[in-house]
Structures are given as structure tokens and as C-alpha cells.
Amino acid sequence: QVQLVESGGGLVQAGGSLRLSCAASGSFFSPNIMDWYRQAPGKQRELVARFTRGRSTNYADSVKGRFTISRDNGKNTVYLQMNSLKPEDTAVYYCHALWGTDYWGKGTLVTVSS
């Protein structure tokens, strides 16, 4: 049984930084894709950053240059370093993995105050 558990969310002022973590548990878990999505109030869930098994990364235009996704395969953990945060980054951030099927974490709330 695969579980994804996010941590690191919280309240931060505009211009600040946060680092989100997503720890994956489960035997032989080797996803093709691990990524971060977010969902702001009243909006659809959107892809923020993606890390593929081929170690390529993709970012939403709105976060390029500010967010960095990284992965520690030894710990089966993916991170999202978020710098220069803006109020429009406020959302629930979800970890997602694709390994035969989709796996989702329960989300962690990031609130950026102006």
C-alpha cells in the first residue's frame, strides 16, 4: 500500500520561503513521475512542478525561477523549495505519484500573506 505524506506547509509573508516535503511509503515503490499540484479556493487543481524518472523537471510558468523540485530516491522523498512567495501562491499543495495508477497525498496548506 503506497502512501504519500506531505509536510512543510504554513503561513509565510510575501517574499518568504517554504520547503515542502512528500514522503512516500510502500515496498518497491518506484514511480515514473512524482510531482506537486496545488488548488486555490474556487480554482481547479493545477500542476506546479514535475520530476520524472528520467530526472527531467517541468514547472508551471507562474512558478518558474521561484520554485525548485528535487528528489531523494534513497529516502523516497520529493521536495518543493518555494522562494519569493506571492499571495497568489496560497493554496493546498498536493503530492502526486504515478506508478501504474495515481497516488495522492492529503495536501498541505500554504498561506502567503501580503
Side-chain angles (χ1 to χ4, degrees):
Q1 182 74 13
V2 174
Q3 286 188 323
L4 304 178
V5 179
E6 303 99 334
S7 61
L11 174 64
V12 64
Q13 287 188 333
S17 298
L18 283 175
R19 188 194 195 203
L20 305 183
S21 299
C22 172
S25 62
S27 299
F28 308 110
F29 184 59
S30 181
N32 296 316
I33 291 173
M34 288 193 77
D35 42 31
W36 289 94
Y37 283 74
R38 68 185 179 187
Q39 187 166 19
K43 294 188 177 182
Q44 289 188 333
R45 192 173 296 190
E46 62 173 355
L47 177 65
V48 176
R50 171 165 290 168
F51 197 109
T52 68
R53 180 185 282 180
R55 303 189 71 81
S56 65
T57 56
N58 297 302
Y59 296 93
D61 288 342
S62 59
V63 306
K64 281 181 181 176
R66 300 189 297 122
F67 291 12
T68 302
I69 189 171
S70 60
R71 183 171 173 178
D72 184 334
N73 288 327
K75 296 182 179 180
N76 243 355
T77 300
V78 65
Y79 305 96
L80 185 67
Q81 178 66 44
M82 306 186 295
N83 299 328
S84 302
L85 283 161
K86 304 175 181 180
E88 50 263 44
D89 295 318
T90 295
V92 178
Y93 284 71
Y94 296 92
C95 180
H96 165 262
L98 176 63
W99 189 43
T101 187
D102 292 295
Y103 296 93
W104 292 94
K106 293 183 178 180
T108 184
L109 177 63
V110 172
T111 303
V112 184
S113 63
S114 56

